[in-house]
Amino acid sequence: MDVALKIWRFDPQTGERELKQYEVDAPEWACLLDVLDIVKDQVDGTLAYRKSCRMMICGSCGMRVDGGAVLACKERMKPYADAGHVPVVSAMGNLPVLKDLVVDMDPFWSKMRAMKPWLEPGYREPEEGKEFHVSEAEVNVISKESLCINCGCCVSECNSMESDPEFLGPAALAKGMRFVGDARDQQAVERLESYNSEHGIWDCTRCYFCQERCPKGVDPRDAIAKLGAESIKYGIDRDMGAKHAKWFVTSAKTTGWLRETELVPKTQGVVSSIKEMKFAMSLARRGKVPPPVPPHVAKDVKEARALYNIVKSQGVHGAAGIVQGEKALSRIEFIEEQAKREGGTE
Ligand code: SF4
Ligand code: SF4
Ligand code: FES
């Protein structure tokens, strides 16, 4: 097949950037990495990019296609060729570009190191025999996080990191959850204390771009949510983000709606509320503040309360609660899809 693509080249010697178009003949099964190899072999040997395994496992070949991060060895080129679209290939975002499609991964690795990505089992001895026994339910809490291949695609698309390069970021925090949630690890509280500091978990804007772009299904945003839930479970709730999360729960179980008018006084205190009064008044004048009395109560709030009470009585707190919720949602989706399929075959 005929494949055309544009590549943002960067020459570190001159500091110049240039968008260059290449057209090559490639087999129909070719992925982006194969096409880059053909360009390098047959057209321009100076093109720089990283690769190793060619099978989506080493994490070396992260780059952007049309502005979104992908693994070059996972991205099929046939759909582009069939559509007559010329994709624009560039280096990953949020990391300094060294040459063409090669980025400096040092900031990525230093954040990974800050997570202390190794087990700290303490001096605990296995209870019986020679091994620690970890149940399936315990493994489920970190099964997605364990799939990370350190490719950096999530970091490339992270909104928070773009505005604050010091933000720990989705990859490092997913790695953090992999160890916080490990039943054998004895340092969960110490780890959570450090992830709750400045540039930590509560600085995530929940844009979900990391989740959308991760090629391995790690779901880093979910990992950050689990770290938040674990922090609150251990009473680490000094950050404003944690206080907001707790107020969301209180709102949901009392009225079924987020009681925004009470959010600032309940989480930031009276002094902050007075400072925000002028802003609140201007919102009220534009009809954007619902009257606090009588409280707006959702029609099915009893269901929300019953659900809260069931989950509470089961004692499934923190990350385990999130995993239980994910499983319940996927079961509902499965049943709905099955019903649609059966409806369609009748
Ligand atoms: S959800 Fe959070 S961590 Fe993920 S990309 Fe958005 S800001 Fe970054
Ligand atoms: S979380 Fe996903 S996108 Fe991020 S580094 Fe790991 S595998 Fe890559
Ligand atoms: S070359 Fe290893 S993940 Fe693409």
Side-chain angles (χ1 to χ4, degrees):
M1 70 183 165
D2 292 329
V3 182
L5 75 174
K6 291 180 182 168
I7 304 175
W8 271 109
R9 306 288 306 266
F10 172 69
D11 182 346
Q13 308 287 343
T14 62
E16 278 174 18
R17 287 186 87 216
E18 189 183 358
L19 187 61
K20 282 195 171 176
Q21 179 152 337
Y22 301 90
E23 283 159 33
V24 295
D25 180 30
E28 294 219 331
W29 44 260
C31 61
L32 173 57
L33 187 56
D34 296 318
V35 173
L36 293 176
D37 282 347
I38 294 171
V39 171
K40 192 170 173 76
D41 286 348
Q42 299 176 7
V43 186
D44 186 346
T46 66
L47 178 65
Y49 51 95
R50 284 201 181 101
K51 65 171 184 176
S52 181
C53 71
R54 313 173 67 92
M55 55 176 75
M56 301 167 261
I57 198 64
C58 74
S60 304
C61 67
M63 58 189 70
R64 272 178 166 168
V65 173
D66 290 338
V70 298
L71 286 181
C73 64
K74 191 179 179 191
E75 192 72 1
R76 296 286 135 200
M77 294 307 283
K78 192 166 185 319
Y80 294 104
D82 287 350
H85 175 62
V86 181
V88 175
V89 182
S90 55
M92 285 197 292
N94 285 330
L95 292 162
V97 182
L98 294 176
K99 185 174 191 294
D100 298 336
L101 305 174
V102 177
V103 292
D104 179 3
M105 293 291 280
D106 276 358
F108 178 93
W109 294 119
S110 67
K111 285 174 189 175
M112 279 287 177
R113 274 193 293 276
M115 294 295 111
K116 300 193 179 165
W118 54 83
L119 266 183
E120 293 279 8
Y123 294 101
R124 214 161 43 106
E125 293 293 329
E127 281 170 18
E128 285 177 20
K130 296 177 183 166
E131 298 165 339
F132 286 112
H133 295 280
V134 181
S135 70
E136 189 182 339
E138 286 170 332
V139 172
N140 282 345
V141 172
I142 53 167
S143 60
K144 287 195 294 182
E145 290 76 4
S146 307
L147 300 173
C148 177
I149 58 168
N150 308 321
C151 64
C153 288
C154 54
V155 164
S156 168
E157 305 313 308
C158 178
N159 262 311
S160 289
M161 210 172 252
E162 211 171 320
S163 59
D164 172 18
E166 297 297 309
F167 173 50
L168 286 169
L173 289 171
K175 190 65 71 190
M177 181 57 214
R178 185 254 167 271
F179 289 97
V180 163
D182 193 308
R184 300 163 297 175
D185 195 83
Q186 297 294 294
Q187 295 275 312
V189 173
E190 290 81 354
R191 292 179 191 275
L192 289 167
E193 282 289 354
S194 85
Y195 311 161
N196 269 262
S197 51
E198 208 184 349
H199 315 296
I201 55 174
W202 300 104
D203 285 1
C204 163
T205 61
R206 301 170 181 81
C207 69
Y208 280 86
F209 285 177
C210 53
Q211 204 124 321
E212 197 178 289
R213 283 293 162 182
C214 173
K216 300 300 283 188
V218 174
D219 291 346
R221 170 56 221 166
D222 288 355
I224 297 171
K226 288 180 194 170
L227 288 172
E230 286 290 298
S231 301
I232 290 172
K233 183 176 94 180
Y234 286 112
I236 306 168
D237 58 4
R238 59 181 179 276
D239 193 280
M240 203 56 68
K243 292 189 194 334
H244 280 192
K246 286 175 83 174
W247 178 248
F248 292 167
V249 174
T250 306
S251 287
K253 75 176 184 210
T254 48
T255 57
W257 296 103
L258 174 59
R259 284 148 55 192
E260 285 175 273
T261 40
E262 292 166 72
L263 185 67
V264 175
K266 297 281 191 214
T267 57
Q268 297 184 27
V270 179
V271 177
S272 282
S273 307
I274 292 168
K275 282 188 194 157
E276 299 294 340
M277 199 58 86
K278 200 171 154 204
F279 180 57
M281 293 307 287
S282 72
L283 286 179
R285 275 196 298 279
R286 286 166 179 78
K288 292 188 175 174
V289 181
V293 184
H296 183 196
V297 179
K299 187 161 73 64
D300 296 323
V301 68
K302 281 193 186 140
E303 267 184 46
R305 280 184 209 151
L307 194 56
Y308 174 86
N309 290 333
I310 290 171
V311 173
K312 191 109 182 133
S313 69
Q314 289 173 337
V316 187
H317 303 298
I322 291 181
V323 172
Q324 176 170 285
E326 281 173 354
K327 281 190 180 297
L329 284 173
S330 58
R331 202 170 302 138
I332 291 169
E333 274 168 23
F334 176 74
I335 291 168
E336 283 176 354
E337 273 173 25
Q338 199 177 32
K340 261 192 232 159
R341 273 200 303 274
E342 285 169 5
T345 53
E346 275 172 9

